Amino acid sequence: MRYPISIQTFATIRNGNYVYVDKTDLVYRLAQEHVCFLSRPRRFGKSLLISTLDAYFSGRRELFHGLKMEALEDKWDVYPVFRIDFAKGRFDLAGELEKVLEEYVSSWETIYGKCDIYTTLSSRFQYVLEQAAARTGHQAVILIDEYDKPLLDVLEEDLENVNRSILKDFYGTFKAADASLRFVLLTGVTKFSQITVFSGFNQPNDISMDSRYDAICGITEDELYSVFGEVISEMASKLNYTVETMKAELKKQYDGYHFSNALLDVYNPFSIINAFNKMDIDNYWYKSGTPTYLVKLLEGHHVNMQKLTSRPYESQYFVDYRADAENPLAMLYQSGYLTIKGYDRHYREYTLDYPNVEVRKGFVALMAEANKCCS
């Protein structure tokens, strides 16, 4: 079995015979929406989801052969796809965000044309979208990966307000060009709705806590056992465990994420794939990198996790951005260090806690890093 370690391109996975957990029924459902936002922790498969949607809207039917999508779609129309990936930018540098957006818009203008009367990035982008729809006969699709990185890179800095204003204006294009849009998806770690990033256009449909999409990123227990059953048996043999003990170890180490009040168990996909590839239990997720923005936020502060997890919360207290070191609940939840552990339907309140052993150890490492920065 070939494991797609650090591979986030759907075509590469499919053409390279890498193992793929079929999410295309959920992708098809999502593609029927209009403007959506999805928040998930880092290393959870958001970029692969964007790539899969790109392949679908580009009409690449051959990549979906044998998958659930094949039985759901029969038209395979080809839409003009506009994909933006903020992952590689250094947005702590002044002018970097404008430079990145300029490169994207300029590249699209070479395909769909440029009109000199439009001079701002947002007006040029709107013109391109309208021209793409007119020339192809199909509305445009916009896919934005790590939409929040230009802000997370500069939290608590003067540049944050500058980048926020640029993004607000650029995203405002979605409202102006709505008639030319078939589908829009923004993904990221953090939901910044409370600080007006989304106020330039109609609020997107936030599917982050929509139970229909709980499993669109990550691996459920049913998927784990059906796709990786043979591998689990091999791993158990190598580590001298019974299969049931091996399953319990994997669950303790990597399971425990819940993204809605349905409380569907979701395993960390990055850690699971690495564990199977190396045939060993380790803390792969937090070893892959510590979020700089979270280290900065927590510098010099002691977070009493027991206090944070000992009381119930309404969802508004942890689903929207709050850069507050005195009350870091929202950032810890959105970054994956906390997850939903219980839901009281009468009071509509949630309890939160660490997802699993790996994350608990990762939080200790995170606090050590934050305290080291100010020692």
Side-chain angles (χ1 to χ4, degrees):
M1 193 174 279
R2 299 187 73 191
Y3 300 102
I5 306 297
S6 299
I7 298 176
Q8 302 170 338
T9 304
F10 181 67
T12 301
I13 291 173
R14 296 292 289 159
N15 289 330
N17 278 329
Y18 291 93
V19 63
Y20 175 70
V21 178
D22 190 356
K23 304 283 186 180
T24 58
D25 55 332
L26 296 178
V27 172
Y28 180 80
R29 175 186 289 171
L30 175 58
Q32 310 315 308
E33 305 278 358
H34 187 45
V35 180
C36 297
F37 167 75
L38 175 68
S39 169
R40 285 294 184 269
R42 64 185 181 87
R43 306 285 189 181
F44 238 86
K46 299 185 296 295
S47 296
L48 177 56
L49 172 62
I50 290 285
S51 179
T52 308
L53 283 161
D54 188 347
Y56 168 67
F57 281 113
S58 297
R60 301 192 64 183
R61 182 175 188 167
E62 74 282 0
L63 296 178
F64 295 87
H65 178 67
L67 299 179
K68 297 172 184 175
M69 177 75 81
E70 193 173 39
L72 296 170
E73 182 60 79
D74 55 7
K75 293 182 180 180
W76 294 99
D77 290 331
V78 178
Y79 296 87
V81 177
F82 297 84
R83 186 170 169 180
I84 299 175
D85 184 359
F86 286 122
K88 298 175 183 177
R90 280 284 311 276
F91 300 107
D92 55 339
L93 303 175
E96 180 70 8
L97 180 54
E98 298 100 313
K99 177 184 174 183
V100 169
L101 291 175
E102 171 65 35
E103 289 174 351
Y104 275 116
V105 173
S106 294
S107 69
W108 297 327
E109 286 173 333
T110 63
I111 301 172
Y112 298 108
K114 180 178 182 179
C115 183
D116 291 338
I117 66 171
Y118 299 113
T119 57
T120 66
L121 281 168
S122 57
S123 63
R124 288 164 59 196
F125 186 30
Q126 180 181 342
Y127 178 77
V128 165
L129 293 172
E130 292 170 348
Q131 287 299 299
R135 293 189 184 191
T136 66
H138 290 289
Q139 295 168 299
V141 170
I142 302 174
L143 305 172
I144 302 182
D145 200 7
E146 296 201 35
Y147 93 101
D148 49 351
K149 190 172 184 294
L151 299 179
L152 294 176
D153 280 357
V154 292
L155 280 184
E156 304 295 296
E157 299 177 15
D158 293 339
L159 199 53
E160 180 185 353
N161 288 329
V162 175
N163 286 358
R164 185 193 314 164
S165 178
I166 293 169
L167 288 178
K168 176 184 175 182
D169 187 51
F170 190 74
Y171 294 151
T173 306
F174 304 157
K175 182 176 182 179
D178 185 68
S180 302
L181 299 180
R182 162 66 177 81
F183 178 79
V184 178
L185 176 66
L186 303 97
T187 70
V189 172
T190 307
K191 184 181 178 184
F192 279 93
S193 61
Q194 295 300 318
I195 55 170
T196 71
V197 174
F198 290 153
S199 64
F201 68 103
N202 295 332
Q203 286 287 317
N205 177 19
D206 185 357
I207 63 169
S208 306
M209 293 183 68
D210 186 330
S211 61
R212 296 175 301 167
Y213 298 107
D214 278 348
I216 200 164
C217 294
I219 299 174
T220 68
E221 196 155 86
D222 286 345
E223 291 168 339
L224 183 70
Y225 296 162
S226 62
V227 176
F228 301 102
E230 184 176 335
V231 181
I232 293 172
S233 296
E234 292 175 7
M235 192 173 180
S237 178
K238 179 180 182 293
L239 299 180
N240 201 27
Y241 289 144
T242 66
V243 171
E244 290 307 310
T245 300
M246 188 74 258
K247 288 180 178 179
E249 288 296 311
L250 291 170
K251 187 176 185 67
K252 180 175 66 175
Q253 186 76 6
Y254 305 126
D255 188 24
Y257 289 92
H258 305 110
F259 297 112
S260 78
N261 56 30
L263 298 178
L264 176 70
D265 281 343
V266 179
Y267 287 71
N268 184 314
F270 179 81
S271 292
I272 279 288
I273 293 297
N274 274 276
F276 290 151
N277 186 54
K278 294 182 170 61
M279 283 286 161
D280 197 14
I281 299 285
D282 203 349
N283 303 309
Y284 300 105
W285 180 71
Y286 85 72
K287 284 184 176 180
S288 68
T290 303
T292 303
Y293 64 88
L294 203 51
V295 174
K296 288 181 180 179
L297 178 67
L298 300 177
E299 278 181 6
H301 291 82
H302 171 70
V303 177
N304 188 333
M305 193 65 90
Q306 184 175 0
K307 182 179 179 180
L308 284 178
T309 58
S310 63
R311 52 152 294 188
Y313 300 91
E314 295 179 6
S315 62
Q316 68 202 52
Y317 291 100
F318 59 88
V319 298
D320 284 346
Y321 162 86
R322 287 176 176 79
D324 184 355
E326 300 301 328
N327 184 21
L329 182 78
M331 273 298 195
L332 290 173
Y333 171 78
Q334 293 162 14
S335 300
Y337 288 91
L338 289 174
T339 196
I340 296 167
K341 285 297 180 179
Y343 180 64
D344 187 318
R345 294 191 177 277
H346 179 72
Y347 292 102
R348 297 180 182 175
E349 291 179 330
Y350 297 81
T351 52
L352 307 177
D353 209 337
Y354 296 113
N356 50 49
V357 170
E358 178 184 32
V359 174
R360 183 183 292 112
K361 292 179 179 178
F363 181 73
V364 173
L366 171 67
M367 291 308 301
E369 180 71 15
N371 291 326
K372 181 177 70 176
C373 289
C374 19
S375 62

